[in-house]
Each structure stands twice: as structure tokens, then as C-alpha cells.
Amino acid sequence: MSALWSVGAGLLLLLLWVRHRGLEYVLVHHRWVFVCFFLLPLSILFDIYYQLRAWAVWRLHSAPRQHAQRVRHIQEQVREWKKEGSKRYMCTGRPGWLTVSLRVGKYKKTHKNIMINLMDVLEVDSERQVVRVEPLVTMGQLTAYLNPMGWTIPVVPELDDLTVGGLIMGTGIESSSHIYGLFQHTCVAYELVLADGSLVRCSPTENSDLFYAVPWSCGTLGFLVAAEIKMIPAKKYVKIHYQPVRGLQKICEKFAEESKKKENSFVEGLMYSLDEAVIMTGVLTDEAEQSKINRIGNYYKPWFFKHVEKYLKADRTGVEYIPSRHYYHRHTRSIFWELQDIIPFGNNPVFRYLFGWMVPPKISLLKLTQGEAIRKLYEQHHVVQDMLVPMKSLEKSIQTFHVDLNVYPIWLCPFILPNNPGMVHPKGNETELYVDVGAYGEPKSKQFEARASMRQMEKFVRSVHGFQMLYADCYMTREEFWDMFDGSLYHKLREEMNCKDAFPEVYDKICKAARH
């Protein structure tokens, strides 16, 4: 009882302090208070709800039976929109705050919302080695479903809450992408409801133009209702090798060298300054040295990027065995390194042991509760960007990131980019090795100014025939955007499928210049 009185007294004092300073002041300058006391418990309740729902679906085997009915409901909504005169563009009815992207989609308020409640794993075909899923299935949900069966997917993008639909309509990458490509390159078929209400299936051999045009289209060609994704056998552990490297040229050379080795199941780099990095390579295995097993995903463990930094500070190499699912979601608990700006003491051992089981807060809840003051603060003083550049331009790219942003750590993730049709492909006719350069945090560059600095970055990326991930803020003009991306197939299909009155162009949907 005394403990309850203590907690109650503490909460009362907290509320009095919040009232004294003002809610907006606390949310902007002491956001950890709101996150720790409100968002973390609420995030736990969110997770419990979705886990119980997934369990119920699995026990009742309801998803495959109800999928066709749900799709028919989507088709009915589209046909109703046509009967109403097709006066407004259509978009999914999922609230903008539920998406992992930090961008706030204002179009949800003006467009016709089509409700799409599709969040189940439909079928695991072991013979074809394909899993068929609905678009709102998350990476955390999918690996939890497949791993006990002995399967996984070739590319498992980092964060638990990333959805299949978002990774197809946008893009997704992982440290296995130097072998398998982007998330879209592991998909073998899509099912979509089009602007006329029809349901179509597309693959490399069936409606192939649509199959190649869907990735990166951000829901502007139709509504994704199912996807088929390749599966590969899962193994128990990832044997990971940590190697500190110093000197920018040496870092780039070593990273490119390891990225070209197909015997590496995984390749990843974390840069902690312009000339200091740790390059990690991993292989899947069922055997492990017990003394070297590191269950990095346990809630009380150090955040992964901090754990990796120890090898740099000690200037030593190392080998560990990380359970596969822990490895796939190694950056989830700290949201890469974004959480250190929200909960500065989040990696403290005391906090981890007492409250680490509640981390991370849901990104969707962070968006929902950030308020206009925090949103503007983040927009001007925070950057979350992934630029995809050719490996041959990596050194120049890192130097540009350093001058324009000066944000560390920087995430390096290699991927192979095939010369397929669609919005994103190499400049030449050959498959090419690219790298995702990811910057997340507060820029330390003295001349940083959000719009000017990002436009300068975008100009550089276009000059090396790179691409900007579309989940992030984009400041390009329409001409610059279509200079970066190949819109030939996309625009051809929008014309053929009468999309122009049904969906906005992808540029109008995601670029700041089009929304302001």
C-alpha cells in the first residue's frame, strides 16, 4: 500500500509540475516525461491487442476464409466512389499517424478514404517457398509467424512495425540486400484493386508492366490487397564479425569489398565519425559457441549501436552469435539511434533493467502526440533521410553528408539493384551495387537549414544517379523529382488504367513542394 501511495504522490507532483510549466513546454523540452509515463504503457497495450488478434486469427484460421470477403468490400467502396461521380481522389482509410513515416499526410482529410482492414498472413506455401500476406502485416508479425516453421523472408527491414504494403509501395532494405536486392525484389506477385474496382494479379509473367510499376508508386496505381513473398530456410543464429576501420578511404574500400562477397549473408556499416566505422559481416548458422551467444534483443541489453561502438572504442575485432530474430530486429528497441534524443537516459543500465521491457514507444503514437510545436521543431532541427547511391560514389556521398548534415552515426547498407523496369533502376543496362546512406538525428553542421540543405543533398544524389527514399521529407520540384526517378512506365500505366482522376500523382502525394 505504501508503494501505491508513493506512486500516487509522484504522479500528483508530476501533474502539478506539468501544469506549472505548461504542457507545450514539457512536450518540447522534456518529452521523455510524456513518453515514459504515458506513451510507453500505451504502446504495450497496442502490442498486446495486436498479438491477441494475431493469435485469434491463427487459432480460428479465419484469415484465408475472410480475405475474399474483405477484398469484395474494398471493391464495393471503389465502385461506390465511381457512382458518386469520382469527384475526389481516393486513398487508404488508415490514419496517417499509424504509418511509420514521419511525414504527416494531410491528403487523408481531403481524399475519399477507402477502408482496408487487411493485416493477416494468408498462406505459407512450402513447396513454392512463398508466403502470401495482406498489406498491413508487419515485419515483427511475419518473422514471429514464419521462424517457428523454419522459414524467414530474404529481406527483413529493421523495424517491427514496418508493413508489407509500405515496403512495397515505398521501399525496404536490410543488410542481406547485397544478395537479394530491395524488399520489392523478393516479391513474386501482387494483387490490387484498380480504379475501376476490378481485382488483378500481377507478376513478372502476368500483367508484368503493372508488377514493375507498383514499387515506389505510394498507392497511386491501385490498392494493394495481397502480396506473395519469397521464403528461405531460417537458421538459429547469425554469426557476426565486428571490424573497426579508420580512414574514410579504407572504410569505403573495406565496405565495398565485403558487400561483393556472396558468402556474407549480411553486411552493414555504422559510421561514428567521418573517419571511424565498424563494418559488420554475418553468416547464418545453426551452430554456435555457447560462450559467444549474445541475445541482443533482450530488453535489458545495451542498444545495438552502442554495443557496436564498444568495438571501435576498444579498437578490437570480435565475433558473436546472435539469435536470428534478435538480429533481424536489432535496431528496433532504440529505433536505430533516434530514441536517445527522446529518452536521453534510455541506454542507462538502470533504466534498461527496470523499464527496458516497455521500449520502444510506438512511432505511430509519437506522431499522434507530437503536436505542431514539436513537428516544426523536428522539421527544422532534425533529419531522417535515406539516400540510395551507387557504391562507386560512397566516399563522395559520405563527405557530402558530413558537410551538409554532420549527423552520426550514419547507417551503411549495401544492396544490389537489378536493371528492371520501373521507377528505380541503374543508369546503365547492368545490375549495379548500391548503398543506402542513412542519416537520423540532429544535424551538427553550422550551416544546416532544413530546406536549403536537403535540396543541396537531393541535387547531389541526382548527380550520381541515386535515389531518395520517399518516406522522408522531399523538397524537389516536379521536374527534379522525375529527373531522379524514371516515370515512363508509371505514367504510361496511369494513363492506360484511368488513374489520373482516381489517385494523385506520387509527386503530389509525398513532396513538400507540392503540398505547400
Side-chain angles (χ1 to χ4, degrees):
M1 185 63 72
S2 61
L4 287 174
W5 277 108
S6 299
V7 171
L11 287 173
L12 180 59
L13 289 171
L14 174 65
L15 289 172
L16 289 172
W17 176 67
V18 170
R19 184 177 179 184
H20 172 67
R21 296 310 304 257
L23 182 60
E24 184 173 294
Y25 175 88
V26 172
L27 289 178
V28 172
H29 299 282
H30 301 281
R31 201 176 183 202
W32 64 267
V33 174
F34 184 71
V35 170
C36 290
F37 284 94
F38 297 100
L39 290 194
L40 288 180
L42 196 57
S43 297
I44 293 294
L45 293 176
F46 255 62
D47 280 335
I48 290 172
Y49 166 75
Y50 281 109
Q51 287 170 10
L52 286 174
R53 185 190 181 284
W55 178 82
V57 167
W58 174 73
R59 292 291 295 176
L60 298 173
H61 301 287
S62 64
R65 290 202 305 269
Q66 293 184 7
H67 175 73
Q69 179 182 335
R70 292 172 183 154
V71 171
R72 282 195 295 272
H73 178 59
I74 294 166
Q75 292 177 280
E76 288 168 5
Q77 292 179 75
V78 173
R79 287 170 184 147
E80 183 64 29
W81 165 82
K82 285 178 67 68
K83 287 180 184 177
E84 292 171 354
S86 310
K87 296 176 182 177
R88 295 183 291 164
Y89 288 139
M90 291 184 289
C91 68
T92 62
R94 189 185 189 208
W97 61 269
L98 271 175
T99 63
V100 173
S101 168
L102 297 180
R103 184 172 55 247
V104 178
K106 296 179 180 179
Y107 60 86
K108 296 279 185 180
K109 296 178 181 178
T110 57
H111 294 185
K112 170 73 172 178
N113 282 212
I114 305 297
M115 301 311 297
I116 299 178
N117 185 30
L118 301 172
M119 55 181 67
D120 299 315
V121 178
L122 298 173
E123 179 186 3
V124 176
D125 189 334
S126 299
E127 287 189 15
R128 290 176 59 218
Q129 295 194 14
V130 166
V131 59
R132 183 168 171 255
V133 300
E134 292 179 329
L136 295 181
V137 167
T138 67
M139 290 299 98
Q141 177 187 352
L142 190 54
T143 55
Y145 191 96
L146 292 179
N147 287 175
M149 299 180 183
W151 294 104
T152 187
I153 56 175
V155 175
V156 185
E158 305 286 345
L159 303 179
D160 282 10
D161 290 342
L162 292 169
T163 64
V164 167
L167 294 168
I168 291 169
M169 291 295 184
T171 193
I173 194 170
E174 173 45 52
S175 54
S176 57
S177 289
H178 67 295
I179 298 174
Y180 298 104
L182 299 171
F183 186 84
Q184 70 204 55
H185 300 127
T186 68
C187 297
V188 297
Y190 310 126
E191 296 169 39
L192 296 101
V193 171
L194 302 183
D196 61 359
S198 62
L199 175 66
V200 299
R201 182 180 186 275
C202 56
S203 72
T205 56
E206 180 183 3
N207 297 311
S208 60
D209 278 356
L210 181 58
F211 177 79
Y212 289 116
V214 162
W216 295 75
S217 65
C218 297
T220 60
L221 292 174
F223 295 108
L224 184 71
V225 295
E228 295 176 27
I229 309 167
K230 295 175 189 174
M231 298 189 305
I232 58 173
K235 294 192 175 181
K236 293 180 181 178
Y237 301 100
V238 174
K239 181 182 179 182
I240 188 166
H241 179 261
Y242 303 91
Q243 182 172 352
V245 185
R246 286 180 167 81
L248 181 57
Q249 185 178 350
K250 287 184 179 179
I251 291 168
C252 296
E253 288 173 354
K254 182 65 176 175
F255 186 74
E257 176 189 331
E258 296 296 344
S259 300
K260 292 172 184 175
K261 294 179 181 176
K262 299 302 182 187
E263 59 266 31
N264 288 329
S265 305
F266 307 97
V267 179
E268 176 183 27
L270 293 183
M271 294 198 65
Y272 293 90
S273 72
L274 182 60
D275 58 0
E276 292 180 309
V278 178
I279 293 173
M280 290 158 279
T281 57
V283 293
L284 288 162
T285 178
D286 284 321
E287 306 297 327
E289 298 177 49
Q290 292 299 310
S291 62
K292 294 183 178 180
I293 293 176
N294 183 3
R295 303 184 188 281
I296 195 70
N298 289 348
Y299 72 86
Y300 51 83
K301 288 284 190 174
W303 290 344
F304 184 70
F305 79 98
K306 286 293 187 182
H307 171 67
V308 174
E309 192 176 18
K310 291 177 183 176
Y311 291 94
L312 182 66
K313 289 181 175 179
D315 197 23
R316 65 180 179 89
T317 61
V319 173
E320 288 183 330
Y321 295 83
I322 299 178
S324 295
R325 193 158 183 268
H326 289 222
Y327 177 82
Y328 288 138
H329 303 289
R330 63 198 178 281
H331 291 300
T332 292
R333 283 191 300 121
S334 56
I335 317 178
F336 280 86
W337 30 92
E338 288 276 72
L339 199 58
Q340 66 181 350
D341 292 333
I342 299 171
I343 308 177
F345 46 83
N347 194 49
N348 183 284
V350 175
F351 181 86
R352 291 201 315 265
Y353 274 88
L354 292 178
F355 305 107
W357 57 277
M358 302 173 77
V359 169
K362 296 300 239 186
I363 295 175
S364 54
L365 293 179
L366 288 170
K367 282 177 62 179
L368 180 64
T369 58
Q370 68 180 357
E372 191 64 17
I374 294 178
R375 189 189 67 78
K376 288 182 177 178
L377 189 72
Y378 263 63
E379 188 174 292
Q380 293 302 320
H381 304 287
H382 198 87
V383 63
V384 180
Q385 291 284 348
D386 285 86
M387 299 294 189
L388 313 181
V389 297
M391 183 66 78
K392 62 191 177 189
S393 302
L394 178 58
E395 185 174 346
K396 192 176 178 182
S397 299
I398 293 171
Q399 289 170 337
T400 302
F401 267 67
H402 180 79
V403 171
D404 291 342
L405 303 179
N406 193 8
V407 172
Y408 293 96
I410 284 177
W411 190 52
L412 302 179
C413 185
F415 69 99
I416 200 76
L417 185 61
N419 188 35
N420 292 339
M423 285 176 61
V424 171
H425 54 75
K427 188 173 184 179
N429 296 321
E430 300 291 327
T431 293
E432 188 172 348
L433 189 61
Y434 270 61
V435 56
D436 176 0
V437 183
Y440 325 117
E442 183 180 346
K444 300 298 190 295
S445 175
K446 291 181 180 179
Q447 67 264 32
F448 177 80
E449 192 280 318
R451 185 179 183 278
S453 297
M454 286 317 307
R455 280 191 53 75
Q456 196 162 310
M457 288 289 302
E458 291 165 348
K459 182 179 179 181
F460 167 78
V461 172
R462 290 196 305 275
S463 74
V464 297
H465 198 75
F467 308 95
Q468 180 180 24
M469 281 198 185
L470 300 185
Y471 77 89
D473 283 335
C474 173
Y475 293 85
M476 289 182 281
T477 65
R478 193 179 305 273
E479 292 73 22
E480 291 166 343
F481 183 86
W482 291 118
D483 181 42
M484 177 179 284
F485 298 99
D486 182 353
S488 54
L489 181 61
Y490 171 79
H491 289 302
K492 172 192 164 192
L493 285 176
R494 276 179 60 84
E495 192 74 43
E496 290 177 358
M497 300 191 307
N498 298 316
C499 293
K500 289 189 174 183
D501 294 327
F503 308 104
E505 186 184 293
V506 61
Y507 174 81
D508 294 310
K509 192 170 182 179
I510 63 98
C511 285
K512 293 184 77 68
R515 301 198 308 272
H516 286 181

